[in-house]
Amino acid sequence: MSVVGFSSSSVAVFIAVLVLVLNGVEVCNGGKTSRFLRKIEKTVDMPLDSDVFALPPGFNAPQQVHITQGDHEGKAVIVSWVTPNEPGSKKVLYWSENSKQKKEAIGEVYTYKFYNYTSGYIHHCTIENLEYNTKYYYEVGIEYSPRTFWFFTPPEVGPDVPYTFGVIGDLGQSFDSNRTLTHYERNPHKGKTVLFVGDLSYADNYPFHDNVRWDTWGRFTERSVAYQPWIWTAGNHELDFVPEIGETEPFKPYTHRYHVPYKASGSTAPFWYSIKRGPAYIIVLASYSAYGKYTPQYEWLNEELPKVNRSETPWLIVLMHSPWYNSYNYHYMEGETMRVMYESWFVHYKVDVVFAGHVHAYERSERISNIAYNIINGRCVPVKDQSAPVYITIGDGGNLEGLATNMTEPQPEYSAYREASFGHGIFDIKNRTHAHFSWNRNQDGYAVEADSLWFFNRYWYPVDEPLSRQD
């Protein structure tokens, strides 16, 4: 049967072309801007008397309790806390779920001054030689007002052990920040560890960088970071460099409060380092420390990448603060000089995914690179590259500076999906070949995925990923 004047084959071709034209937004992979419309409201910090900032009861009770990985392999934990009145005990008691025998570790105490602020007594204690895949309890504040928390150690480093990471950036302490953290905590698929891509308290947005807002942020996040490690990345809001008031030591509050195991990976500074956790090798880079040729960060990364054994840790993840690929009009191309330095290394070593923050929105790229350019060939446009990582910007934690709503137009081809909403991510590693990533916006139900993608490992299964779910 045929339409008058046309053969059956011609009609079929016409219909196929028409369907492609009418539905191109749905079948083309790349260049999608979310159609989700959120209510635009001013982002405001929670007042100091908010319940999320409440002091724990008892004299000299430990507060701002937080943990992170304490070695390179995942068998140690750094426990940190603040006592407000006096140093108190440096001791941490800890025991496994199946043991009644309590062990102890002894830490160190630090204080610092920032303009007219004097910190409490900041404790850092590393618990070592833990068993993999075990629940541990720990107690701090011995002798005065002890408090008890718990955490799980990761599985033994290996290629096919599943492991799930939460991903959060640019959190702050606004009402939206509280929604983001709550949304993450109640996500039924939440991570066992958070990859945090920088910008913690936003205390520097206050006059004289009011460090009281570092204390409130520590108490606000305690409900999560006292129970699962957060892997720290330094952002621009951690700089706290204010020479006009005599503060000339960059990162002073951050480095006193948040210790990381940088020496375990041969780093000479706490702003760039690496860890192994289950099936993942995680490299943390510093967007606001020198990274040019022959700098300490450059030399470290040049030696670090060849050490990654993809037969042991198949998933290679990089964290940084300033994104290399960004199609918003905020912080546009701020990461360009770092990209020029390191992108060819990322492609050569087949990095799977790069998480960044800084831009207060969400964006996911295609697998692309821009490394073919030389001074005469003019090839300076990103191209699809199956050896390149996916770049995910997730600086949408909810801080008081608000959303980055102004996007570049037209949307570049390298941008697969973008949306100016607050939210968090989940990176769920299944085995050496497959991982699932989802981005969850705050306005949705706890299990709703606004954007998602099945990742195929670049080393073990380097083929095109399937079309992802998009609004």
Side-chain angles (χ1 to χ4, degrees):
M1 181 178 178
S2 64
V3 178
V4 176
F6 295 90
S7 67
S8 297
S9 60
S10 298
V11 171
V13 170
F14 174 78
I15 292 173
V17 171
L18 183 62
V19 168
L20 287 173
V21 170
L22 293 178
N23 296 293
V25 170
E26 299 300 325
V27 299
C28 294
N29 187 24
K32 313 300 186 298
T33 298
S34 171
R35 294 185 293 270
F36 178 80
L37 297 176
R38 71 217 53 79
K39 183 179 180 182
I40 302 298
E41 299 173 322
K42 185 178 180 180
T43 305
V44 179
D45 267 357
M46 294 176 284
L48 292 175
D49 61 356
S50 297
D51 59 353
V52 298
F53 300 148
L55 291 165
F59 174 75
N60 210 37
Q63 57 171 275
Q64 306 175 52
V65 181
H66 56 273
I67 62 173
T68 192
Q69 185 158 313
D71 65 353
H72 200 244
E73 305 288 332
K75 295 188 71 175
V77 167
I78 300 173
V79 179
S80 305
W81 71 98
V82 176
T83 50
N85 306 107
E86 55 184 80
S89 175
K90 301 177 184 178
K91 185 185 302 183
V92 175
L93 298 180
Y94 65 98
W95 61 97
S96 67
E97 183 177 32
N98 298 320
S99 173
K100 295 181 179 180
Q101 180 183 2
K102 294 185 178 181
K103 300 179 181 180
E104 67 177 51
I106 306 296
E108 299 291 335
V109 182
Y110 306 81
T111 61
Y112 73 92
K113 294 181 181 292
F114 192 96
Y115 189 54
N116 60 358
Y117 168 91
T118 300
S119 75
Y121 299 92
I122 304 168
H123 299 248
H124 298 289
C125 181
T126 301
I127 303 173
E128 300 176 309
N129 300 315
L130 300 173
E131 297 294 325
Y132 285 120
N133 213 23
T134 301
K135 184 177 183 179
Y136 282 90
Y137 294 90
Y138 67 99
E139 184 178 296
V140 293
I142 314 302
E143 299 174 1
Y144 289 101
S145 303
R147 300 179 67 197
T148 301
F149 304 88
W150 51 262
F151 61 85
F152 285 94
T153 53
E156 185 173 0
V157 172
D160 291 310
V161 290
Y163 201 76
T164 307
F165 294 96
V167 191
I168 300 174
D170 299 68
L171 185 59
Q173 48 194 299
S174 73
F175 289 98
D176 286 300
S177 311
N178 194 31
R179 294 184 188 102
T180 298
L181 190 54
T182 300
H183 208 239
Y184 169 70
E185 292 171 313
R186 297 184 180 179
N187 188 328
H189 309 294
K190 77 174 183 178
K192 300 171 183 175
T193 294
V194 169
L195 306 177
F196 192 86
V197 293
D199 283 0
L200 286 68
S201 71
Y202 286 79
D204 63 340
N205 277 24
Y206 286 83
F208 308 112
H209 294 215
D210 185 0
N211 274 224
V212 169
R213 280 292 179 172
W214 274 103
D215 293 321
T216 55
W217 194 83
R219 294 198 292 270
F220 159 55
T221 55
E222 182 186 84
R223 69 198 206 209
S224 174
V225 73
Y227 297 94
Q228 62 174 233
W230 287 28
I231 308 305
W232 301 111
T233 309
N236 57 298
H237 284 277
E238 279 67 74
L239 275 164
D240 284 304
F241 177 72
V242 204
E244 60 269 27
I245 60 173
E247 292 298 339
T248 58
E249 179 187 338
F251 301 103
K252 186 199 285 186
Y254 172 74
T255 53
H256 277 81
R257 293 169 181 271
Y258 294 91
H259 281 194
V260 297
Y262 68 96
K263 293 180 181 178
S265 58
S267 172
T268 55
F271 312 114
W272 59 89
Y273 63 99
S274 71
I275 60 169
K276 300 174 186 177
R277 199 159 184 90
Y281 202 103
I282 299 163
I283 292 177
V284 177
L285 295 182
S287 298
Y288 304 97
S289 299
Y291 48 75
K293 200 166 186 178
Y294 308 125
T295 61
Q297 183 170 196
Y298 178 97
E299 296 290 356
W300 175 82
L301 184 60
N302 189 32
E303 295 178 1
E304 181 69 11
L305 284 167
K307 296 178 182 176
V308 182
N309 179 357
R310 304 296 282 271
S311 295
E312 178 190 54
T313 50
W315 292 93
L316 181 51
I317 301 169
V318 175
L319 311 181
M320 62 180 67
H321 186 63
S322 186
W324 291 358
Y325 289 96
N326 163 36
S327 69
Y328 291 80
N329 287 323
Y330 304 83
H331 308 302
Y332 185 63
M333 294 189 78
E334 283 186 18
E336 184 66 5
T337 53
M338 192 183 216
R339 182 195 66 78
V340 171
M341 292 302 305
Y342 297 151
E343 186 180 19
S344 62
W345 294 358
F346 284 17
V347 173
H348 177 75
Y349 290 102
K350 299 183 185 297
V351 172
D352 291 290
V353 60
V354 176
F355 292 109
H358 202 35
V359 178
H360 299 167
Y362 169 73
E363 185 166 22
R364 173 174 54 81
S365 79
E366 303 285 357
R367 289 199 181 276
I368 42 88
S369 69
N370 191 5
I371 60 175
Y373 175 78
N374 61 43
I375 199 167
I376 59 174
N377 66 15
R379 298 177 184 174
C380 55
V381 176
V383 296
K384 290 193 174 184
D385 186 339
Q386 286 304 308
S387 293
V390 170
Y391 294 89
I392 294 177
T393 299
I394 194 160
D396 55 355
N399 66 80
L400 80 168
E401 292 181 346
L403 287 166
T405 55
N406 192 335
M407 305 175 186
T408 61
E409 298 295 348
Q411 184 174 3
E413 291 185 5
Y414 65 73
S415 175
Y417 184 90
R418 61 184 185 177
E419 179 177 321
S421 291
F422 293 129
H424 70 273
I426 302 292
F427 193 73
D428 185 11
I429 298 172
K430 304 295 186 182
N431 51 42
R432 74 181 66 191
T433 59
H434 288 71
H436 184 263
F437 173 76
S438 64
W439 174 68
N440 305 68
R441 69 167 77 90
N442 288 354
Q443 289 88 345
D444 293 336
Y446 298 124
V448 175
E449 299 174 352
D451 180 45
S452 64
L453 178 71
W454 276 101
F455 272 75
F456 295 159
N457 185 271
R458 292 302 89 192
Y459 182 86
W460 289 100
Y461 196 49
V463 298
D464 288 346
E465 279 96 353
L467 287 172
S468 57
R469 179 188 306 159
Q470 301 170 348
D471 274 354

